[in-house]
Amino acid sequence: MDLAIKIIFIVIFFLVTLYIGYYCRRKAKTSQDFVLGGRNVGPWLSAFAYGTSYFSAVVFIGYAGSFGLAFGISAFWIGIGNALIGSFLAWAVLGRKTRIMTQHLNSSTMPDFFGKRFNSKPLKIAASVIVFVFLVPYTAALYNGLSYLFQVCFSDAVPYWVWVLIISVATGAYVIVGGLMSTAINSAIQGVIMLVGISLVIVFALNLNGGFMASMEALALEGGWALTSMFGPDPIHLLYVVLLTSLGCWGLPQMVGKFYSIKNEGQIRKGSIISTVFAIIVAGGCYFLGGFGTLFFTGNAKTVIPEIVSRLNVVVIAIVLVLVLAASMSTLSGLVHTSAATVTFDLIGTKKEVSEITKMKLLKIFVVVFILVSAGLAAFMEYGPKEFTKDIASLMGISWGAISGAFIGPFFYGLYWKKTTKASIWASFILGVLIAVVSLILSLTGVNSKLMSNNILWFDFADSIYMGVLGMAVSFIIVPIVSSFTKKPENVDQIFMCYERRVIVPEGEVLVDTKDKVYVTCGKVDELQ
């Protein structure tokens, strides 16, 4: 009976997801509709798409479990940082300017933005390669997190690879059929499931130990009072985690891309509030729950949250399974959507003119390719040699560190500073990727651990969390330094006019000419009354 209840919940979820993909097929007839939804996505859909792309099984299973064990209750600060820095400030600082400039440049992806903003096809191609290569480990981490939960809750009745296959097929189907609007609507539904699910699991999980105060006392007795303190046993490491997981999303194309498609600039404020509340509940709830992980630890950080879930009522377990499935599929759909668009528009499209029919075919083909590569890596990490096995937190750290380390400075300064130069963008790309690769090599070889044990090094260069934050800091610093002594860009004043010529009216933001006789919105020109 318990197994039947779990399966029924999952089957219903899959049927609804696939139906939405089928329903949205008419809204994905062109490549621009497939990628941007006609730049007509409302604040609720945009905010939920942002939030569900942000928080997945990687957070719920990997980060909540690992950092809950390490920091205890203070892991909750990671969720607060995700809400305030990763959601509210990201929308406030990047949202409006991203929407305006990408529309002005007619850019569909982050690599396309770099190419047009700095008039450089090589920059566009380099950014595309970075996106495609380094989003793969993130997706593999997502597969791992989701599959571990399913294995525990189904008692290993279904092999790991079967869950990977099911998730891949379902996600690929609704992205291929419905494009961005399918992803956005599914993300909204999946977001509601996540809000309800995380609230339920926290209440029921705390009751396993007699409620909140009893759980706190048990945590102190089991792991020490440091795990119940405000900043935990290692506040410096905690700060690095907050920075990587919060500020890091400012440079991630699958996150920033949500600002491209929002209906108009007037919806940015609504979207920022919705996404912040969503992040407080979902991210804050995940890390708060993970803070009690020591009470359920059985020797593997990956199974801390699954162990908590497996002890709950069967209906709650089924809801949580759907919760994590929803979170993971929404993130996976955002990743494959971003990667497919990047390859189609920024790699293939740079070599020759491609017809609309061909673009649509290529988009769908690369959705499949990216899913296959990511699923293959996830399987290899599970079944391959132990020396290549990385935990979920490390995989995500490698991905976020490399991409944000390469992009966060160039994107921010590209939106705000006219004097940003092409050479500074190259410097950030190279250093961001180099830092991530060095970290990965040191981690695989164990050289860094030996040097630290001999007190030769004080900084953990093999830790993807530390190196990810280092990469972002270098990106923010290197762009203005290199820009100060390299050739200034041309025609930049014309690009930045897209900000200066906008005014606020009751309907939103519009473009006006110098005589205020006409306004331009969504590409149409009308006489002012």
Side-chain angles (χ1 to χ4, degrees):
M1 183 63 182
D2 289 358
L3 181 62
I5 291 175
K6 296 174 187 176
I7 292 175
I8 289 171
F9 270 75
I10 292 172
V11 168
I12 291 173
F13 171 77
F14 276 129
L15 290 176
V16 171
T17 298
L18 294 173
Y19 172 75
I20 291 172
Y22 175 77
Y23 174 79
C24 292
R25 72 194 188 282
R26 290 171 295 180
K27 298 182 180 181
K29 292 183 178 181
T30 69
S31 59
Q32 287 295 314
D33 289 340
F34 189 93
V35 174
L36 296 176
R39 295 187 188 266
N40 197 36
V41 183
W44 282 91
L45 289 183
S46 295
F48 273 91
Y50 186 91
T52 54
S53 292
Y54 199 163
F55 311 114
S56 66
V58 176
V59 172
F60 189 75
I61 306 298
Y63 271 22
S66 298
F67 298 133
L69 289 175
F71 306 127
I73 293 301
S74 66
F76 181 67
W77 286 110
I78 305 173
I80 297 299
N82 292 171
L84 298 181
I85 302 173
S87 296
F88 182 77
L89 277 182
W91 281 75
V93 175
L94 302 179
R96 178 178 177 270
K97 286 186 177 292
T98 299
R99 174 64 169 79
I100 294 172
M101 187 172 284
T102 57
Q103 185 179 31
H104 178 71
L105 296 174
N106 193 29
S107 63
S108 306
T109 64
M110 187 178 279
D112 191 34
F113 167 82
F114 290 131
K116 291 178 177 177
R117 167 67 175 83
F118 299 99
N119 192 29
S120 172
K121 285 188 176 181
L123 268 181
K124 179 178 177 181
I125 294 172
S128 303
V129 173
I130 293 171
V131 169
F132 191 83
V133 170
F134 286 100
L135 280 185
V136 170
Y138 183 19
T139 311
L142 186 153
Y143 277 118
N144 279 339
L146 185 58
S147 299
Y148 277 117
L149 176 66
F150 274 63
Q151 280 180 295
V152 171
C153 292
F154 282 91
S155 302
D156 293 322
V158 181
Y160 174 88
W161 68 267
V162 174
W163 290 121
V164 171
L165 180 63
I166 292 171
I167 298 162
S168 300
V169 171
T171 306
Y174 82 75
V175 174
I176 287 172
V177 173
L180 180 73
M181 286 305 297
S182 171
T183 301
I185 294 175
N186 267 312
S187 293
I189 294 173
Q190 291 158 355
V192 172
I193 294 172
M194 291 166 67
L195 290 172
V196 174
I198 193 62
S199 302
L200 286 175
V201 74
I202 289 174
V203 172
F204 280 90
L206 291 179
N207 283 337
L208 291 175
N209 289 286
F212 174 67
M213 293 306 297
S215 296
M216 290 286 283
E217 184 176 350
L219 180 62
L221 294 174
E222 184 74 23
W225 286 103
L227 294 181
T228 63
S229 64
M230 181 175 290
F231 297 108
D234 191 353
I236 299 300
H237 190 195
L238 176 63
L239 176 62
Y240 274 90
V241 175
V242 171
L243 290 174
L244 179 69
T245 61
S246 302
L247 192 60
C249 66
W250 289 33
L252 297 179
Q254 74 272 20
M255 302 298 296
V256 175
K258 302 300 184 290
F259 303 139
Y260 287 38
S261 55
I262 196 168
K263 191 172 184 178
N264 59 59
E265 295 80 54
Q267 305 295 325
I268 297 293
R269 181 173 297 178
K270 293 180 182 177
S272 67
I273 296 172
I274 297 166
S275 67
T276 302
V277 173
F278 181 88
I280 290 173
I281 296 173
V282 174
C286 286
Y287 289 110
F288 176 75
L289 179 64
F292 295 95
T294 300
L295 302 178
F296 304 89
F297 184 53
T298 58
N300 187 346
K302 299 175 185 177
T303 61
V304 168
I305 301 299
E307 285 292 339
I308 296 175
V309 173
S310 66
R311 301 186 191 187
L312 305 180
N313 177 278
V314 64
V315 175
V316 179
I317 292 175
I319 292 173
V320 173
L321 286 172
V322 174
L323 175 164
V324 182
L325 188 63
S328 299
M329 288 183 63
S330 60
T331 303
L332 180 60
S333 65
L335 293 173
V336 301
H337 187 271
T338 299
S339 297
T342 294
V343 175
T344 301
F345 288 110
D346 305 326
L347 287 180
I348 305 297
T350 59
K351 296 180 180 180
K352 58 181 179 179
E353 289 297 323
V354 180
S355 68
E356 187 61 34
I357 295 176
T358 303
K359 283 182 181 179
M360 286 298 292
K361 289 180 179 178
L362 288 172
L363 282 167
K364 295 176 180 181
I365 288 171
F366 284 115
V367 165
V368 175
V369 169
F370 186 78
I371 288 177
L372 288 176
V373 172
S374 302
L377 178 60
F380 178 76
M381 303 305 287
E382 177 68 14
Y383 299 114
K386 290 184 178 181
E387 59 267 24
F388 291 101
T389 300
K390 301 291 291 181
D391 61 37
I392 297 170
S394 295
L395 284 173
M396 184 174 171
I398 292 168
S399 176
W400 281 42
I403 297 176
S404 288
F407 293 162
I408 191 168
F411 190 73
F412 175 80
Y413 288 112
L415 291 176
Y416 276 91
W417 195 34
K418 293 181 180 181
K419 296 181 180 180
T420 309
T421 67
K422 189 187 306 181
S424 71
I425 308 305
W426 278 114
S428 182
F429 283 9
I430 293 169
L431 289 174
V433 171
L434 183 62
I435 290 171
V437 171
V438 168
S439 174
L440 180 59
I441 293 173
L442 291 174
S443 175
L444 292 175
T445 60
V447 172
N448 192 83
S449 299
K450 295 177 182 178
L451 294 175
M452 289 190 69
S453 63
N454 293 322
N455 295 321
I456 297 174
L457 290 178
W458 61 272
F459 189 83
D460 193 354
F461 289 95
D463 190 314
S464 60
I465 305 295
Y466 285 96
M467 292 296 275
V469 174
L470 176 63
M472 291 190 296
V474 169
S475 180
F476 271 120
I477 294 170
I478 199 67
V479 171
I481 290 176
V482 175
S483 295
S484 65
F485 60 83
T486 52
K487 183 180 178 181
K488 301 297 183 289
E490 299 177 357
N491 300 322
V492 71
D493 289 333
Q494 184 177 358
I495 293 175
F496 274 75
M497 283 180 65
C498 65
Y499 300 148
E500 297 166 359
R501 298 179 62 202
R502 287 183 179 249
V503 296
I504 303 295
V505 297
E507 293 78 15
E509 295 189 50
V510 297
L511 285 169
V512 295
D513 73 357
T514 53
K515 296 180 181 179
D516 290 339
K517 291 182 179 179
V518 299
Y519 71 87
V520 183
T521 179
C522 300
K524 297 179 181 179
V525 181
D526 300 294
E527 293 289 335
L528 283 175
Q529 300 298 321

